[in-house]
Amino acid sequence: MKILVCISKTPDTTAKISFNGDQTFNAAGVQFIMNPYDEWYALVKALEIQEANGGTVTLINVGGADNETIIRKGLAIGAENAVRINTEPASAMSTAFQIASYAKSQGFDLIFTGKETIDFNAAEVGAMVAEYLDMPYVSFANEMKLNGNTAIIGREIEGGTETVEVDLPIVISAAKGLAEQRIPNMRGIMMAKSKPLEVMDPAPFQDNVTTKQFELPTAKSAVKMVDPENMDELVRLLHEEAKVI
Amino acid sequence: MSVLVFAESHDNTFKKPALESVFFGKKTAEKLGTQCVALVLGNAENPGQLGKYGADKVIHLSDASLANFDSQVYSSVIAQVAQATGSNVVVLAHSSNGKALTGRLAVKMNAACVSGVNALPETNGGFTISKSVYSGKATVHYALNAENKIISIMGNSLSPQIIGNDCPVESVAVNIPAAKVKVVNVDRVVGQVPLPEAEKVVSGGRGLKGPENWGIVEELAQVLGATTACSRPVADADWRPHHEHVGQTGIAIRPNLYIAIGISGAIQHLAGVNNSKVIVVINKDPEAPFFKGADYGVCGDLFEVVPKLTEALKKFKAQH
Ligand SMILES: Cc1cc2nc3c(=O)[nH]c(=O)nc-3n(C[C@H](O)[C@H](O)[C@H](O)COP(=O)(O)OP(=O)(O)OC[C@H]3O[C@@H](n4cnc5c(N)ncnc54)[C@H](O)[C@@H]3O)c2cc1C
């Protein structure tokens, strides 16, 4: 079983968000992490499958050298080797294009992404990789079993789960429930230091979406406190002032 | 040139995301001075009703094989219909199926694509569109610089209005590829509006102490006609089903009214709910961070406050 796991770097949710004058992200003082869906669910499910069926788990990341911290973390959790495509991930499409360009000649049976990144929540990369490689795609998987060459996968849908069956090779995006988070142990961290991390040049790509501007939200007006003994007043406010009931 | 809207139907009917997409598509078409074509795949009752929400025409392909959702098949069919109708803007809902299609379609149609937008595009001198990013801590404006454009819209971004009458329904010839993904079972809660579509949500946190206490949450939700949700530790402890978990690692919602009961308001929770139009927080701790992000706050014991609120709402409903 040859498995590829796509990992990305995002600011931690608690980070203070601000932008530079040229509309780029101000990274000063921001703590970056591996996108939780990639780390907790995609990578761990890939490792579980590899442990049960044999094979290899390879990580891929599109980004600069400072992404190596999260790549080493993925190796410490258990991936065998990693590839970094040395270019800024300017858009979902450019990222997917780089991943697909690498994967197309490698014969992966399974390609995992997280269901979305927690900063832009686009949920696009997995679908795009699948289209570039002309492979089936199952989004938002929260359960998965393998029966020979056939995967039986539960995927999140509005208010429930849809179960599908599909033959490998496939692209899957991982949601909560697919696996349990693993914390890297000391041995893993030591071993990660000597695992292969190959740096590759990007394939040429022309982006068709550009960021024009970032805007910070206007401050919310102060909360209006209502006396806990007077719920009629809350109902009145929701009706007359907020107009939501 | 026209705007093509993929209008999802489930169990023969169109839910709110489909109507929102059509209405959004029509408003976009008006800005571009063109018409709005809605595409319906699989069974659907009276697809011409989409005309009420702005479709100038509906293309309905009811081939039995389309009852099975496979992103490869659907994206191929949508791209063929876009070509046949001369559409260079495609609008979808940012729903579970929409999310599986947006990226595929963008690659297939060599299109510029933005998913999860929350407002109509600006079309004066270019085509720009905005979405909320970084857990609601910023809004980004994108310019789409390709002939073809794909947009998926967040639920509750634009409330659909009836602006027309039933419209003509046509079919076009397409080549439907064989599905590789086979749907073998669908397990959906019945009765409640699914969370991403809900206009009102009542959500409970660890402050409720245990699953046996959820009766007061459910009763409040019932009186309001709201959908129930919960914080992550509540779902993790199996007090509530996982599909109710909202927040950064759960579902992101933007209802008109979000009532948070016994939830502290951690940033990861807020990430999924802070786009709600009106937030009410019920918490006994005056220092609970959620009060800072709320519109209305009640500082008190939820076991007393919630039943009182339910009673007050019943009284209100009897009078209105
Ligand atoms: C990477 C990451 C991702 C996460 N993702 C999510 C997510 O998606 N969604 C999410 O919800 N959380 C998420 N969390 C967890 C989050 O940080 C909080 O721990 C969680 O939201 C707290 O849940 P809670 O508010 O229900 O519980 P608590 O923080 O324990 O708060 C309970 C609240 O109830 C109040 N209370 C108690 N008793 C009463 C009473 N009788 N009357 C009134 N009020 C009462 C208390 O004052 C308190 O404010 C995530 C955390 C991490 C690290």
Side-chain angles (χ1 to χ4, degrees):
Chain A
M1 197 69 59
K2 244 187 118 171
I3 310 175
L4 182 67
V5 181
C6 310
I7 60 172
S8 72
K9 189 182 79 172
T10 68
D12 183 74
T13 336
T14 52
K16 186 164 163 34
I17 301 298
S18 64
F19 303 94
N20 303 313
D22 62 352
Q23 298 301 321
T24 53
F25 185 80
N26 178 7
V30 170
Q31 160 97 36
F32 287 94
I33 57 170
M34 191 182 338
N35 183 44
Y37 294 108
D38 311 349
E39 179 188 330
W40 301 352
Y41 310 124
L43 173 55
V44 179
K45 188 66 194 181
L47 292 170
E48 283 175 16
I49 293 171
Q50 181 258 329
E51 285 154 8
N53 301 275
T56 55
V57 174
T58 300
L59 300 175
I60 187 165
N61 170 260
V62 179
D66 48 355
N67 285 14
E68 294 198 357
T69 322
I70 65 146
I71 299 175
R72 289 287 171 204
K73 182 173 187 194
L75 293 170
I77 293 171
E80 189 168 303
N81 62 324
V83 174
R84 179 170 67 79
I85 312 290
N86 190 23
T87 183
E88 277 312 306
S91 69
M93 206 186 263
S94 66
T95 306
F97 179 80
Q98 298 304 341
I99 293 169
S101 301
Y102 167 76
K104 71 176 178 242
S105 58
Q106 300 283 326
F108 289 106
D109 302 291
L110 284 163
I111 299 179
F112 282 98
T113 68
K115 79 164 185 178
E116 60 190 29
T117 57
I118 60 168
D119 49 4
F120 281 73
N121 312 91
E124 288 167 5
V125 171
M128 288 172 167
V129 169
E131 185 62 27
Y132 278 123
L133 299 174
D134 196 21
M135 271 158 72
Y137 173 55
V138 180
S139 58
F140 290 32
N142 55 21
E143 210 183 329
M144 174 179 179
K145 284 194 304 254
L146 271 181
N147 185 0
N149 197 42
T150 304
I152 300 112
I153 304 171
R155 62 182 281 260
E156 278 177 11
I157 55 169
E158 285 73 15
T161 303
E162 181 178 271
T163 309
V164 301
E165 254 179 40
V166 56
D167 289 345
L168 308 189
I170 50 174
V171 179
I172 302 173
S173 78
K176 181 183 170 190
L178 191 64
E180 289 279 338
Q181 180 184 7
R182 289 187 187 175
I183 311 289
N185 57 27
M186 197 40 85
R187 188 163 163 267
I189 294 168
M190 293 314 291
M191 278 167 62
K193 293 191 174 135
S194 55
K195 285 181 176 173
L197 194 174
E198 189 183 351
V199 180
M200 295 175 72
D201 286 331
F205 184 80
Q206 180 68 46
D207 245 316
N208 58 21
V209 175
T210 45
T211 301
K212 279 195 70 179
Q213 196 200 338
F214 283 104
E215 228 179 301
L216 297 174
T218 44
K220 214 171 159 115
S221 52
V223 54
K224 206 174 249 188
M225 297 304 290
V226 180
D227 177 2
E229 295 301 325
N230 192 356
M231 285 301 98
D232 289 330
E233 172 63 3
L234 179 59
V235 171
R236 187 192 69 77
L237 288 166
L238 292 177
H239 178 58
E240 290 176 11
E241 191 177 85
K243 299 190 169 57
V244 287
I245 57 169
Chain B
M1 200 179 89
S2 59
V3 173
L4 182 69
V5 178
F6 169 50
E8 272 181 67
S9 58
H10 291 291
D11 303 331
N12 278 342
T13 55
F14 298 106
K15 299 269 179 55
K16 209 171 120 213
L19 310 180
E20 283 170 349
S21 309
V22 171
F23 188 67
F24 188 102
K26 177 63 176 181
K27 292 286 156 196
T28 304
E30 280 173 356
K31 286 185 158 222
L32 297 169
T34 179
Q35 59 164 356
C36 167
V37 180
L39 171 63
V40 177
L41 300 180
N43 283 336
E45 199 132 348
N46 181 21
Q49 64 178 298
L50 296 175
K52 293 198 178 81
Y53 296 92
D56 296 295
K57 142 173 123 179
V58 170
I59 309 275
H60 184 201
L61 305 177
S62 56
D63 192 281
S65 66
L66 294 170
N68 180 84
F69 178 77
D70 177 340
S71 64
Q72 233 170 346
V73 175
Y74 267 50
S75 59
S76 162
V77 170
I78 296 169
Q80 289 176 58
V81 174
Q83 174 110 52
T85 53
S87 305
N88 54 9
V89 177
V90 178
V91 174
L92 308 90
H94 196 54
S95 61
S96 46
N97 288 353
K99 289 171 192 170
L101 291 170
T102 310
R104 278 211 103 110
L105 270 174
V107 170
K108 200 180 273 294
M109 295 176 63
N110 198 12
C113 131
V114 178
S115 59
V117 308
N118 54 19
L120 287 168
E122 291 295 334
T123 55
N124 289 335
F127 193 105
T128 64
I129 204 152
S130 66
K131 71 178 272 189
S132 166
V133 292
Y134 298 113
S135 312
K137 288 187 271 190
T139 298
V140 60
H141 297 264
Y142 287 117
L144 285 75
N145 312 316
E147 172 81 9
N148 289 335
K149 299 168 185 77
I150 317 273
I151 299 162
S152 74
I153 59 168
M154 278 293 279
N156 286 335
S157 295
L158 196 67
S159 77
Q161 291 156 28
I162 295 192
I163 52 172
N165 299 309
D166 283 19
C167 68
V169 180
E170 297 170 11
S171 185
V172 296
V174 293
N175 167 23
I176 304 177
K180 293 184 191 148
V181 176
K182 284 181 205 65
V183 177
V184 292
N185 185 42
V186 177
D187 187 4
R188 220 189 269 270
V189 247
V190 287
Q192 272 196 349
V193 180
L195 265 179
E197 295 161 29
E199 289 183 4
K200 300 188 185 105
V201 173
V202 175
S203 188
R206 215 146 56 174
L208 273 129
K209 308 276 190 284
E212 66 282 4
N213 295 328
W214 240 262
I216 55 171
V217 174
E218 282 172 338
E219 206 188 340
L220 174 60
Q222 208 199 340
V223 172
L224 269 171
T227 298
T228 48
C230 67
S231 68
R232 176 173 155 198
V234 164
D236 282 353
D238 281 329
W239 295 359
R240 299 296 292 173
H242 281 283
H243 63 76
E244 284 199 1
H245 161 193
V246 290
Q248 178 196 298
T249 41
I251 304 172
I253 54 173
R254 43 186 303 135
N256 292 333
L257 175 62
Y258 184 74
I259 304 188
I261 302 170
I263 300 176
S264 56
I267 180 78
Q268 297 89 354
H269 183 83
L270 295 181
V273 305
N274 60 6
N275 279 317
S276 308
K277 296 209 177 80
V278 174
I279 295 178
V280 177
V281 168
I282 301 172
N283 198 304
K284 69 173 181 192
D285 173 9
E287 301 299 320
F290 218 151
F291 283 124
K292 287 201 188 70
D295 298 281
Y296 301 100
V298 182
C299 186
D301 184 348
L302 68 91
F303 295 102
E304 288 165 25
V305 173
V306 174
K308 279 189 190 136
L309 175 57
T310 305
E311 280 318 305
L313 276 164
K314 281 187 184 158
K315 210 163 72 189
F316 169 82
K317 276 179 75 177
Q319 290 163 0
H320 287 81

